[in-house]
């Protein structure tokens, strides 16, 4: 989600704001909901955006259809019951087609739900009222519907951009700053991605509604904090919403409730039963794993209709407030999110981050490192304020106390933040990226901790290799898991990256600018290996592994010889290098390449024992 500006402010960054407004990630209604007589607001709050997204989900359904061609029929059918606002099409990884339909109101959507049927006479299948549906084919004569007055808002709108295409587009950019912006524009979570995440939350809310009064299921983490990329996991929190009104002594009739007895934490028991319900009652949810003894117990599950990997926890409001805080920092200046995307992508490429938990740095810690860097004062001032400045300016309506009495109070309305507290320099993204690496290449990791609360390095309270103060629980270190070796690698890689960017002289050959930082090393090796002589032409991997019109006995060596004008010695060397790569890869199951097609082809060779 991006920051939403109601009016353009009169600053030098006007073009950037306009760019954001035009972005498809902006839910337009937020912009039009205000009347022109309202006092102009530069920033919407996180709560306003979340409320808008939750409202959208409450008036939407997701329907499995035969193909994109079902649009006319589905639109015509649904229009019989309610007014359709917009329809998005997407496919999941199983190739199944879905349409997300937003109606003009929640009541409209309910009318459609009332019209739903069930599809099994089998008594073992118990249907469930939820916003995830499927569109049954007509029996007999087909209804004819007029051509819809609207067209699809997106077609195949959930697919992430192909790496190959992204890297090609980046190679055509004019500047490194453009490359960074492009990476952000093309890979950040789009409007449909965000809508689907709120739909999954809504579906779970509907299922649990009858078991828990006033329940809310909210996305948090990268799905909502503005730093999410297409395909990122979905973190969900199940909370019991206790408003002042509900707890008011004036309400004399009160629900009888049930205290959980026994030694174990009630949250663990609730989550256990929620796990059962996910397996039994939530259509699309499967592969449920229970991790109940962690500090924050969670249920992991896969949601097949939306292709999302989900983590559900109970009552972890500090996670939501943490997301809000990150969202706010991202909203303050349009360079924050693109820069963070570039850093995260670089960290992934050099292997500093890993999708599995372990001794390496996480995306969350990296994001805090970027924010901390942007809080550093330059001659012109800083780009982001310290968190303590937001805490100092907090008012009564900003008070938030999370579980275990955790104080998560900070200024929520960024319009109240004086403009000289942020965006105080006009450095380009390209400059900021280089400065980020230089800053951490010189950072005293030995004695200093990173604290976005203070905005300046603080003394490390212990000898852990990397210390990043948890902004909402300052006694904790969010990077306590990072090993000495991983911290050393981080230091080495930031120095390498700084050196690589400093050396960029504007020559746009090969992997220039950001491309040089984010391409997988293994792919670079393969590309180098396949380069023909000095002509810089690449032999297509497809050609190399294409078996058509070739004798079955054709080896990798003879193919290389045929496709490249290399000497026998050179070819032998290339084959040996490639064999080494493949053999080494065997131990790690599979070699990683930036392009899944290349990866599959190399894997197939391994499997078929061509080499
Ligand atoms: P990706 O999932 O990697 O895209 O990023 P993410 O920000 O969603 O990270 P993750 O799923 O690991 O965590 C979800 C959220 O939990 C984060 O955004 C934070 O709000 C919070 N979180 C993550 N790690 C920590 C931690 O070490 N301490 C605390 N208190 N909160 C954390
Ligand atoms: Mg996450």
């Amino acid at each position: 989600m991006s920051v939403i500006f109601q009016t353009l402010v009169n600053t030098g960054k006007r073009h950037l704001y306009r760019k954001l407004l035009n972005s498809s990630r902006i839910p337009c209604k937020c912009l039009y909901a205000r009347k022109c007589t309202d006092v102009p607001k530069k920033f919407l709050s996180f709560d306003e955006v979340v409320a808008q997204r939750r409202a959208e989900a409450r008036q939407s359904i997701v329907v499995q259809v035969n193909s994109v061609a079902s649009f006319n029929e589905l639109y015509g059918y649904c229009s019989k019951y309610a007014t359709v606002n917009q329809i998005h099409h997407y496919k999941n990884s199983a190739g199944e087609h879905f349409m997300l339909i937003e109606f003009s109101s929640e009541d409209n959507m309910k009318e459609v739900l009332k019209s739903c049927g069930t599809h099994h006479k089998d008594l073992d299948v118990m249907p469930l009222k939820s916003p995830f549906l499927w569109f049954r084919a007509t029996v007999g004569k087909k209804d004819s519907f007029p051509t819809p007055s609207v067209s699809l808002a997106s077609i195949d709108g959930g697919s992430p951009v192909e790496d190959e295409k992204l890297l090609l587009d980046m190679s055509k950019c004019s500047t490194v700053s453009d490359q960074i912006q492009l990476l952000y524009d093309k890979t950040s979570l789009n409007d449909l991605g965000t809508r689907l995440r709120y739909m999954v939350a809504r579906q779970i809310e509907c299922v649990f509604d009858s078991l828990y009064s006033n329940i809310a299921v909210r996305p948090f983490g990268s799905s909502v904090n503005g730093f999410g990329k297409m395909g990122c996991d979905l973190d969900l929190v199940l909370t019991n919403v206790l408003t002042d009104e509900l707890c008011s002594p004036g309400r004399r009739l009160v629900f009888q409730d049930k205290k959980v007895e026994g030694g174990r934490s009630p949250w663990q028991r609730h989550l256990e039963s929620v796990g059962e319900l996910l397996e039994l009652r939530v259509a699309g949810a499967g592969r449920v794993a229970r991790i109940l003894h962690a500090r924050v117990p969670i249920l992991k599950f896969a949601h097949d209709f939306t292709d999302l990997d989900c983590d559900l926890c109970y009552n972890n409001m500090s996670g939501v407030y943490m997301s809000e805080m990150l969202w706010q920092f991202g909203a303050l200046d349009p360079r924050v999110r693109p820069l963070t995307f570039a850093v995260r992508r670089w960290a992934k490429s050099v292997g500093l981050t890993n999708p599995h938990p372990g001794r390496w740095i996480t995306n969350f810690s990296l994001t805090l490192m970027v924010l901390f860097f942007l809080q550093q004062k330059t001659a012109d001032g800083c780009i982001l304020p310290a968190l303590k400045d937001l805490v100092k300016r907090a008012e009564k309506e900003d008070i938030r106390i999370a579980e275990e009495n955790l104080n998560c109070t900070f200024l929520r309305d960024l319009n109240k933040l004086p403009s000289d507290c942020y965006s105080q320099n006009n450095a380009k993204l390209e400059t900021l990226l280089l400065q980020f690496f230089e800053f951490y290449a010189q950072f005293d990791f030995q004695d200093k901790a990173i604290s976005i609360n203070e905005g300046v390095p603080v003394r490390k309270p212990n000898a852990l290799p990397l210390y990043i103060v948890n902004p909402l629980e300052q006694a904790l270190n969010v990077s306590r898991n990072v090993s000495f070796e991983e911290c050393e690698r981080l230091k080495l890689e930031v120095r390498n990256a700084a050196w690589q960017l400093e050396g960029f002289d504007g020559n746009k050959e090969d992997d220039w600018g950001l491309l040089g930082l984010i391409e997988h090393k293994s792919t670079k090796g393969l590309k180098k290996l396949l380069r023909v002589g000095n002509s810089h032409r690449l032999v297509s991997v497809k050609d190399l592994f294409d078996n058509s019109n070739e004798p079955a006995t054709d080896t990798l060596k003879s193919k290389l010889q045929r496709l490249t004008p290399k000497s026998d010695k050179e070819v032998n060397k290339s084959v040996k290098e490639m064999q080494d790569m493949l053999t080494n890869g065997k131990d790690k199951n599979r070699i990683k390449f930036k392009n899944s097609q290349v990866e599959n082809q190399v894997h197939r060779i391994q499997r078929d024992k061509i080499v």
Side-chain angles (χ1 to χ4, degrees), residues 416-457:
K416 293 180 181 163
L417 194 65
S419 58
D420 60 358
C421 292
Y422 60 95
S423 294
Q424 289 305 291
N425 74 48
N426 288 321
K428 291 185 193 138
L429 280 168
E430 169 176 350
T431 314
L432 291 177
L433 185 63
L434 172 59
Q435 286 175 350
F436 170 86
F437 292 126
E438 286 174 340
F439 176 74
Y440 284 109
Q442 290 163 21
F443 190 80
D444 178 8
F445 288 98
Q446 173 86 22
D447 291 324
K448 298 291 184 198
I450 291 162
S451 161
I452 68 158
N453 303 70
E454 298 300 322
V456 289

Side-chain angles (χ1 to χ4, degrees), residues 321-522:
Y321 297 138
M322 187 82 86
S323 308
E324 180 172 22
M325 186 204 72
L326 294 187
W327 187 87
Q328 287 200 311
F329 278 120
L332 270 176
D333 187 286
R335 292 165 291 180
V336 180
R337 289 169 183 159
L339 183 67
T340 309
F341 267 60
V343 169
R344 282 179 170 206
R345 180 74 186 229
W346 155 80
K348 182 177 168 221
S349 308
V350 296
L352 283 173
T353 49
N354 190 307
H356 307 290
R359 56 186 189 280
W360 25 81
I361 192 164
T362 60
N363 276 334
F364 175 59
S365 295
L366 276 172
T367 307
L368 294 181
M369 284 177 70
V370 176
L371 300 182
F372 181 70
F373 157 70
L374 294 172
Q375 290 172 331
Q376 305 309 303
K377 286 208 166 53
T378 63
D380 296 325
C382 55
I383 293 180
L384 290 178
L387 180 57
K388 69 178 180 189
D389 294 334
L390 299 187
V391 173
K392 201 171 67 192
R393 291 188 158 82
E395 295 172 11
K396 202 168 149 229
E397 63 272 20
D398 298 316
I399 296 174
R400 305 281 189 283
I401 307 294
E403 65 284 350
E404 293 171 19
N405 272 333
L406 209 59
N407 190 349
C408 302
T409 302
F410 49 85
L411 179 72
R412 263 54 192 194
D413 184 356
L414 294 176
N415 298 294
K416 293 180 181 163
L417 194 65
S419 58
D420 60 358
C421 292
Y422 60 95
S423 294
Q424 289 305 291
N425 74 48
N426 288 321
K428 291 185 193 138
L429 280 168
E430 169 176 350
T431 314
L432 291 177
L433 185 63
L434 172 59
Q435 286 175 350
F436 170 86
F437 292 126
E438 286 174 340
F439 176 74
Y440 284 109
Q442 290 163 21
F443 190 80
D444 178 8
F445 288 98
Q446 173 86 22
D447 291 324
K448 298 291 184 198
I450 291 162
S451 161
I452 68 158
N453 303 70
E454 298 300 322
V456 289
V458 295
R459 185 189 287 273
K460 250 165 86 166
N462 60 33
L464 281 171
L466 182 62
Y467 203 106
I468 303 177
V469 176
N470 181 329
L472 298 180
E473 261 183 292
Q474 290 183 54
L476 300 181
N477 172 10
V478 299
S479 55
R480 64 196 168 283
N481 61 311
V482 177
S483 68
F484 175 77
E485 289 77 17
E486 286 301 313
C487 185
E488 287 303 302
R489 246 163 44 74
L490 171 70
K491 291 188 218 167
L492 180 78
E493 293 293 355
V494 288
R495 280 199 297 269
N496 277 345
W499 177 80
Q500 211 169 323
L501 275 184
E502 267 163 13
F504 175 57
D505 56 2
N507 179 359
K508 293 191 191 159
E509 263 189 26
D510 251 1
D511 298 332
W512 66 278
L514 185 60
L515 278 174
L517 294 181
I518 67 169
E519 277 213 292
H520 278 296
K521 282 184 175 158
S522 49

Side-chain angles (χ1 to χ4, degrees), residues 197 220-223 225 232-235 309 311:
R197 281 148 206 272
F220 71 105
S222 55
S223 296
N225 67 17
C232 67
D233 67 357
L234 170 59
D235 302 292
D309 289 324
D311 286 354

Side-chain angles (χ1 to χ4, degrees), residues 151-439:
S151 44
L152 274 169
S154 53
I155 298 177
D156 202 5
S159 302
V161 62
E162 288 266 323
D163 256 11
E164 199 70 10
K165 163 103 178 63
L166 175 70
L167 298 180
L168 183 68
D169 288 349
M170 281 171 69
S171 71
K172 292 180 192 155
C173 283
S174 313
T175 62
V176 179
S177 298
D178 289 348
Q179 289 184 323
I180 299 172
Q181 189 65 47
L182 185 86
L183 175 75
Y184 172 69
D185 292 342
K186 296 279 180 191
T187 60
S188 57
L189 194 57
N190 65 11
D191 177 43
L192 176 61
T194 307
R195 282 171 184 269
L196 288 174
R197 281 148 206 272
Y198 277 89
M199 286 307 294
V200 173
R202 178 70 194 138
Q203 182 193 23
I204 298 175
E205 226 171 53
C206 291
V207 175
F208 297 155
D209 238 4
S210 55
L211 289 177
Y212 299 89
S213 60
N214 309 304
I215 196 150
V217 179
R218 301 162 202 264
F220 71 105
S222 55
S223 296
V224 297
N225 67 17
F227 296 101
K229 64 180 176 73
M230 291 295 285
C232 67
D233 67 357
L234 170 59
D235 302 292
L236 292 167
V237 58
L238 187 71
T239 51
N240 200 8
V241 185
L242 292 175
T243 57
D244 287 348
E245 199 192 345
L246 274 173
C247 302
S248 140
R251 293 197 171 202
R252 301 257 328 264
L253 290 174
V254 178
F255 294 116
Q256 293 279 9
D257 48 28
K258 175 124 192 151
K259 250 199 155 56
V260 178
E261 293 177 356
R264 279 188 307 157
S265 135
W267 306 135
Q268 285 180 355
R269 300 221 25 212
H270 281 302
L271 272 190
E272 228 166 55
S273 68
V274 165
E276 291 293 310
L277 284 171
L278 281 171
E279 268 169 353
L280 276 174
R281 305 301 294 139
V282 179
R287 301 190 287 285
V288 180
R290 297 153 176 85
I291 303 166
L292 302 177
H293 297 285
R295 192 171 81 93
V296 180
I298 54 167
L299 292 173
K300 284 185 163 295
F301 65 97
H303 195 275
D304 290 338
F305 296 156
T306 51
D307 262 348
L308 290 173
D309 289 324
C310 311
D311 286 354
L312 176 69
C313 59
Y314 204 93
N315 213 29
N316 173 28
M317 279 310 285
S318 60
V320 177
Y321 297 138
M322 187 82 86
S323 308
E324 180 172 22
M325 186 204 72
L326 294 187
W327 187 87
Q328 287 200 311
F329 278 120
L332 270 176
D333 187 286
R335 292 165 291 180
V336 180
R337 289 169 183 159
L339 183 67
T340 309
F341 267 60
V343 169
R344 282 179 170 206
R345 180 74 186 229
W346 155 80
K348 182 177 168 221
S349 308
V350 296
L352 283 173
T353 49
N354 190 307
H356 307 290
R359 56 186 189 280
W360 25 81
I361 192 164
T362 60
N363 276 334
F364 175 59
S365 295
L366 276 172
T367 307
L368 294 181
M369 284 177 70
V370 176
L371 300 182
F372 181 70
F373 157 70
L374 294 172
Q375 290 172 331
Q376 305 309 303
K377 286 208 166 53
T378 63
D380 296 325
C382 55
I383 293 180
L384 290 178
L387 180 57
K388 69 178 180 189
D389 294 334
L390 299 187
V391 173
K392 201 171 67 192
R393 291 188 158 82
E395 295 172 11
K396 202 168 149 229
E397 63 272 20
D398 298 316
I399 296 174
R400 305 281 189 283
I401 307 294
E403 65 284 350
E404 293 171 19
N405 272 333
L406 209 59
N407 190 349
C408 302
T409 302
F410 49 85
L411 179 72
R412 263 54 192 194
D413 184 356
L414 294 176
N415 298 294
K416 293 180 181 163
L417 194 65
S419 58
D420 60 358
C421 292
Y422 60 95
S423 294
Q424 289 305 291
N425 74 48
N426 288 321
K428 291 185 193 138
L429 280 168
E430 169 176 350
T431 314
L432 291 177
L433 185 63
L434 172 59
Q435 286 175 350
F436 170 86
F437 292 126
E438 286 174 340
F439 176 74

Side-chain angles (χ1 to χ4, degrees), residues 10-81:
N10 194 15
T11 74
K13 292 174 207 73
R14 180 180 288 209
H15 65 287
L16 279 169
Y17 295 162
R18 188 170 291 137
K19 213 166 169 180
L20 281 170
L21 281 174
N22 291 337
S23 149
S24 63
R25 286 186 297 279
I26 308 290
C28 305
K29 274 187 297 177
C30 290
L31 299 167
Y32 302 126
R34 288 172 193 289
K35 288 183 260 144
C36 51
T37 49
D38 288 352
V39 181
K41 262 170 85 172
K42 186 172 160 191
F43 300 106
L44 281 187
S45 72
F46 180 76
D47 281 349
E48 283 171 304
V49 175
V50 170
Q52 171 74 48
R53 288 298 190 183
R54 282 171 63 83
E56 272 168 15
R58 294 179 87 97
Q59 59 197 60
S60 303
I61 56 175
V62 176
V63 185
Q64 187 170 357
V65 292
N66 202 23
S67 73
V68 70
S70 311
F71 169 58
N72 283 10
E73 220 177 324
L74 183 65
Y75 180 90
Y77 183 83
C78 289
S79 301
K80 286 201 300 196
Y81 300 95

